[in-house]
Amino acid sequence: MTTNTSGAVTTGGGNARSERLLWILTGATFLIFFQAYMVAPLLPRLAAVFHVSVEMAGLMVPAYLMAYGVATLFYGLLSDRIGRRPIMIASLSAFILLTVLTGFSQSAEQLTTVRLLTGLGASGVVPLALALIGDLFPYRERGRPLGWLFGAMAGGMAVGAVAGVMLEPFITWRGLFFGVAAAATMVLAFLLPYRDLLGNKSGTARPTLGTLFAGYRTLLGSSRGQRTYAYVALNAVFHSGVFTWLGVYFSRKYGLGDVGIGLALLGYGIPGFLLGPVIGRLADRYGRSQLIPVGLLIAGASAAALSLDMPLIGAPILVTLLSVGYDLTQPLLAGIVTDLGPNRGQAMGLNVFTLFVGFGSGSLLFGAMLPLGIETALHVFGAGAILLGILAAFLFRSEMHK
């Protein structure tokens, strides 16, 4: 057992305590994405509750996502200097407190503000969990644990979207946030006995602006880093833009209510939750060069097909395929990020910053296109993802088995 430069304890992929910590981090990741994505399908309901337009209510989503993304830049860098432990515990605690406060919001403006603060406070957990995978597992074995974490993200998105909209009539939207806070408190209690694996305070000197920018120049100075982060951003814009407004899509196009929307979204995230580790193993064995382009092509074609006239039964199938496209891209891109430089906290912080700013931007961009018609927005987003997939076949051809 050794300690790396970031202060995290490296135990190797087969250690039982590392595996149990992986499950706890998976639970924390699931809850953070659960609460992040249970809001989007509730937008029609929240707009009615607070007497605002759907577009105004929709600002709650990018407020959280973009604040989350910006804060990760600081958490990741700081964790490379003082260790993962204090940052992760403090961030998870902030997530619990601010999620409780969200449930007490009395207006759309208050809810949006608290969501923004929650994004700032909670954004230390997932990027540091991803960075810890780099600390605890060698590169050739990271596909499986990264698959679990990204499967938890996908599962949280899926279950949050479905459970949130279906449970709201029974426990209210406030009860949803209180329930998430209670579950996160349990995760924190499970995490504390494993805090030694999160790393102690590092002896590395306090970072300066020079070392900060030097780290980013290293990450973005190679063509590998540039294309990886670019695809993280553009893929996030695509998926968040489409997913955020799927509740409105099913409401307007098929006249579905809350329960119907929840059922229609049931397939989103389930493939990643079930197949995330399998996809990770495939990436470890065969490389990422083929899987990433295929994922983009599947997702783009699914989004474009949603704009067509079809029976209601066909749309949820396309939503599931959209999710498969996500599962074949973002986890594999994150695996490349863990291999870009020595400071994994900074590298993964930049990755999650790029991911969540992309998420927020995609939500805003798709929303801005709604006056043109939701079908038009789906056409544009789908065509963009297909083009990215074609280019990825050439840009990522060097990402073979390593």
Side-chain angles (χ1 to χ4, degrees), residues 44-223:
R45 170 64 176 160
L46 292 172
V49 168
F50 292 118
H51 307 291
V52 296
S53 67
V54 170
E55 288 78 9
M56 179 64 69
L59 294 177
M60 302 172 192
V61 176
Y64 173 86
L65 295 173
M66 298 190 78
Y68 190 109
V70 170
T72 58
L73 284 177
F74 301 96
Y75 285 127
L77 180 65
L78 190 59
S79 76
D80 280 333
R81 304 309 183 206
I82 69 174
R84 319 283 190 228
R85 181 196 302 175
I87 303 299
M88 182 169 288
I89 292 176
S91 184
L92 185 55
S93 300
F95 171 70
I96 294 168
L97 175 61
L98 290 164
T99 300
V100 171
L101 292 178
T102 304
F104 289 107
S105 299
Q106 299 298 315
S107 67
E109 291 78 9
Q110 286 184 14
L111 183 56
T112 300
T113 300
V114 180
R115 294 296 291 160
L116 185 150
L117 294 174
T118 305
L120 293 175
S123 57
V125 177
V126 174
L128 298 192
L130 293 169
L132 274 167
I133 298 304
D135 296 333
L136 297 172
F137 297 86
Y139 184 75
R140 292 174 63 90
E141 299 177 16
R142 288 176 200 160
R144 179 186 59 84
L146 284 172
W148 278 114
L149 288 184
F150 274 88
M153 294 180 198
M157 292 163 65
V159 178
V162 175
V165 76
M166 295 187 71
L167 290 176
E168 195 278 337
F170 303 99
I171 65 174
T172 75
W173 65 270
R174 300 181 192 276
L176 287 170
F177 284 100
F178 295 148
V180 170
T185 301
M186 294 178 61
V187 169
L188 178 60
F190 284 121
L191 177 66
L192 291 177
Y194 296 89
R195 58 187 179 272
D196 59 300
L197 295 182
L198 305 181
N200 299 307
K201 184 175 180 179
S202 172
T204 306
R206 182 173 298 179
T208 64
L209 283 177
T211 59
L212 170 65
F213 288 110
Y216 289 129
R217 282 196 300 270
T218 299
L219 292 171
L220 297 173
S222 67
S223 58

Side-chain angles (χ1 to χ4, degrees), residues 2-16:
T2 60
T3 304
N4 69 9
T5 56
S6 63
V9 178
T10 303
T11 61
N15 184 275

Side-chain angles (χ1 to χ4, degrees), residues 55-56 58-63 65-66 236-237 240-242 244-245 356-371 381:
E55 288 78 9
M56 179 64 69
L59 294 177
M60 302 172 192
V61 176
L65 295 173
M66 298 190 78
V237 167
S240 180
V242 175
T244 298
W245 299 99
F356 274 79
V357 170
F359 280 161
S361 301
S363 175
L364 286 172
L365 181 59
F366 198 101
M369 295 182 66
L370 286 181
F381 272 63

